[in-house]
Amino acid sequence: MADEPLLRVEDLQKSFGGVAAVDGVSMEVRRGEVHAVIGPNGAGKTTLISLLAGELRPDRGRVLFDGRDIARRPAHARARLGFARSFQITSVVPGMRVVDNAMLAVLARDGRSFRFWRPARNDPALIRPAMAALERVGLAEVAEERAGAVSHGEHRQLEIAMTLAAEPELLLLDEPMAGMSAEESRRMTGILEGLKGEKTMLLVEHDMDVVFALADRISVLVGGRIAASGAPDAVRADEAVRRAYLGDEAA
Amino acid sequence: MSRAVGWALLAALAVGPPLALAAGQPFYVDILTRLVCLAAAATSLNLILGHGGMISFGHAAYIGIGAYAVGIPAYYEIYDGWLHILLAVAFSALFALATGAIALRTRGVYFIMITMAFAQMVFFAVVSIEEYGGDDGLVIDIRSEFPLVDLEDSLTLYYACFAVLLGTLYLVHRLVRSRFGMVIEGARGNERRMAALGFAFYRHRLAAYTLAGALCGLSGAMLGNFTNFISPEMMDWTRSGELIFMVVLGGTGALFGPLMGAAAFLLLEELLSGWTIYWQLPFGLLLILVVLFARGGLAGLLEGRRG
């Protein structure tokens, strides 16, 4: 089964009121690769990632994770199978501390959440992996701060730390650079580079520099369909892609 | 700071009643008994409202269920206190489990309305049962009987209620700090993120809702014993509103918030009702001020927070 891709999407379709946002997408994410999905605004990238994360149900098609069809399983069940999703718009628990947020991710993976008596906040089984994930993304210093009180860039780093703390098989990263300054974006690229080869990642991103720096393979989504898929150089050279997408930016 | 005030309040409650009796003021023992019962009920509500973000507008139903779990057996001359407590907790938990399973599928204002509707169903069910007095209520002629403990003695009854308050506070304190507590707090803060992390938190919420109902049923049984008279009025929706008022006034999510809120509530009720029969009016204004300017309630003010 080593050749079996970690994630295989077959003929995935989702319409909203007669408009097909995702229109028969088929693609594969291989184990250990960084697979980027790019495409112009409105190409269906966010719909695609929501379908993969389980927040939307497809009208048609299959999502095979490790050979199992999970297209109709809810988000929390997919997370337990090993999906971890970061959100385009920062989504943390603002009223809790930074470290609490990471601990929740560890707890979700651990699964033993029906424990009513022992204090959780000094449980080494939760704190150690949570702190390790925070250190990985450079947030150890603000661990005690309220998550709602840290900067935008730190929120994005916390997003990544939470996906890491869950020790997932597959990271679904929805525009991790969204709204970042150039400096923050560079730091985030460094963090993701450090994870390359270790984690399988599906990356949806607007920033072309980031995509070409990180991705092993790229799929180009245009009008809800995959226009091209392959290694970065091949995609860059693809005439259809240039016309549909990259050409728009060059022009 | 709010912790210190909370402990001071508890200390005052621990020594107050014997002093009141010694000073020849048994009336204060009655007031304090009512206070600790309501504070325990409000503390149980705080578990779901303050920590879990579940705004139940039907929490007084459990006070009623607990009180009738004492009153109905007593009507049949069954006075065993342990049986009363078992019935109060079991029926409250069952009612919370059954209604919570439905209510927790809704959000926001729908949740508020549906919890209120379920509570009103109990209210009208009790009103319609003539055998147990309908809306005239039921007199409890003999209080729950326990070995070695005589609840007919007002001071003993007081300390039994106080013990229920302490137990409720301790239980809530442990629960909200546990792994389970982290999950319900996280789900209050960000449902979508919690689902993406892999939590099926509906079950955690339902468990919290059931526990809060069971705890409130226990305080209802104590309140029924104290008043010697139970009626559907105990679980009227305005009573549920008063419990919410106590939690909000005291500070949602703060351990001692509901206790402070209950104390402030009874104090204000006493002062304002002596001043005007329209005492709810200044009361309402006060609540508006708290919500607008002191969202952490009394506990928040003591912490120097304004939320």
Side-chain angles (χ1 to χ4, degrees), chain A residues 55 75-76 79-80 85 87 91-93 96 100 104-105 107-108 110 112-121 123 126 159 162, chain B residues 170-171 174-183 185-190 192-200 203-204 207 211:
Chain A
E55 291 184 342
H76 63 80
R80 276 203 297 276
R85 162 181 199 173
F87 289 87
S91 184
V92 298
V93 184
M96 297 173 90
D100 292 335
L104 278 172
L107 179 54
D110 173 290
R112 281 168 295 208
S113 57
F114 271 95
R115 300 222 171 148
F116 299 90
W117 205 245
R118 292 222 332 258
R121 282 183 175 78
D123 182 346
L126 297 179
E159 282 275 332
M162 289 173 79
Chain B
Y170 184 61
L171 207 65
R174 294 297 300 225
L175 278 172
V176 301
R177 272 156 192 75
S178 69
R179 291 178 167 211
F180 173 79
M182 273 189 98
V183 176
E185 201 183 328
R188 179 191 58 163
N190 192 337
R192 192 170 176 219
R193 172 41 106 178
M194 292 296 280
L197 283 175
F199 288 109
R203 295 178 300 151
H204 300 79
L211 277 164

Side-chain angles (χ1 to χ4, degrees), chain B residues 94-151:
Chain B
L94 271 177
F95 183 69
L97 185 66
T99 60
I102 298 166
L104 286 170
R105 295 181 190 280
T106 66
R107 296 284 181 273
V109 73
Y110 300 102
F111 181 79
I112 297 175
M113 297 311 288
I114 202 167
T115 51
M116 184 172 154
F118 279 128
Q120 287 300 93
M121 279 168 56
V122 183
F123 174 84
F124 285 113
V126 175
V127 165
S128 69
I129 303 175
E130 294 289 334
E131 185 68 15
Y132 305 131
D135 54 7
D136 291 333
L138 201 57
V139 172
I140 298 176
D141 43 11
I142 298 178
R143 284 176 176 153
S144 301
E145 287 175 347
F146 291 93
L148 305 176
V149 176
D150 179 15
L151 296 189

Side-chain angles (χ1 to χ4, degrees), chain A residues 32 57 60 79 84 90 106 126 157 189-190 195:
Chain A
R57 302 288 157 89
R60 196 181 74 207
T90 298
V106 178
L126 297 179
Q157 284 161 264
T189 308
L195 296 170

Side-chain angles (χ1 to χ4, degrees), chain B:
Chain B
M1 182 60 181
S2 102
R3 275 293 159 93
V5 172
W7 283 112
L9 251 175
L10 281 184
L13 288 172
V15 299
L19 296 179
L21 282 186
Q25 301 283 355
F27 169 67
Y28 286 105
V29 179
D30 283 358
I31 288 189
L32 292 179
T33 309
R34 188 159 161 249
L35 167 62
V36 293
C37 289
L38 290 175
T43 301
S44 74
L45 176 60
N46 193 33
L47 172 64
I48 51 173
L49 192 156
H51 295 281
M54 296 167 257
I55 305 170
S56 166
F57 212 127
H59 212 61
Y62 305 101
I63 291 185
I65 291 170
Y68 274 87
V70 174
I72 292 174
Y75 177 74
Y76 295 110
E77 296 178 7
I78 300 166
Y79 301 111
D80 180 1
W82 293 117
L83 179 70
H84 292 171
I85 284 182
L86 179 72
L87 290 173
V89 170
F91 275 101
S92 297
L94 271 177
F95 183 69
L97 185 66
T99 60
I102 298 166
L104 286 170
R105 295 181 190 280
T106 66
R107 296 284 181 273
V109 73
Y110 300 102
F111 181 79
I112 297 175
M113 297 311 288
I114 202 167
T115 51
M116 184 172 154
F118 279 128
Q120 287 300 93
M121 279 168 56
V122 183
F123 174 84
F124 285 113
V126 175
V127 165
S128 69
I129 303 175
E130 294 289 334
E131 185 68 15
Y132 305 131
D135 54 7
D136 291 333
L138 201 57
V139 172
I140 298 176
D141 43 11
I142 298 178
R143 284 176 176 153
S144 301
E145 287 175 347
F146 291 93
L148 305 176
V149 176
D150 179 15
L151 296 189
E152 299 297 338
D153 174 56
S154 69
L155 207 54
T156 309
L157 176 66
Y158 172 79
Y159 280 110
C161 296
F162 187 55
V164 167
L165 171 64
L166 290 180
T168 305
L169 281 169
Y170 184 61
L171 207 65
V172 169
H173 168 77
R174 294 297 300 225
L175 278 172
V176 301
R177 272 156 192 75
S178 69
R179 291 178 167 211
F180 173 79
M182 273 189 98
V183 176
I184 62 166
E185 201 183 328
R188 179 191 58 163
N190 192 337
E191 289 191 2
R192 192 170 176 219
R193 172 41 106 178
M194 292 296 280
L197 283 175
F199 288 109
F201 51 78
Y202 170 81
R203 295 178 300 151
H204 300 79
R205 282 185 167 163
L206 185 56
Y209 193 77
T210 304
L211 277 164
L215 281 172
C216 190
L218 180 58
S219 49
M222 301 315 286
L223 200 63
N225 266 306
F226 163 64
T227 54
N228 274 343
F229 166 74
I230 57 176
S231 74
E233 197 269 340
M234 294 176 94
M235 51 181 129
D236 189 45
W237 66 274
T238 55
R239 296 286 161 189
S240 297
E242 286 174 6
L243 287 177
I244 295 180
F245 189 110
M246 291 173 199
V247 173
V248 172
L249 182 65
T252 55
L255 179 63
F256 291 119
L259 171 59
M260 293 181 208
F265 184 94
L266 293 186
L267 191 69
L268 284 169
E269 186 184 58
E270 202 59 39
L271 293 177
L272 294 175
S273 64
W275 176 51
T276 164
I277 57 166
Y278 303 108
W279 59 273
Q280 283 101 338
L281 183 67
F283 227 79
L285 288 174
L286 187 80
L287 183 61
I288 291 170
L289 289 177
V290 168
V291 170
L292 284 180
F293 300 113
R295 297 201 41 198
L298 294 171
L301 285 177
L302 289 169
E303 295 295 336
R305 260 191 304 120
R306 291 185 167 209

Side-chain angles (χ1 to χ4, degrees), chain A residues 40 56-57 64 71 93-95 100 105 111 118-119 144 154 187 220 241:
Chain A
L56 291 174
R57 302 288 157 89
L64 295 163
V93 184
D100 292 335
R118 292 222 332 258
E144 302 288 324
E154 286 166 332
R187 191 186 314 151
V220 185
V241 175

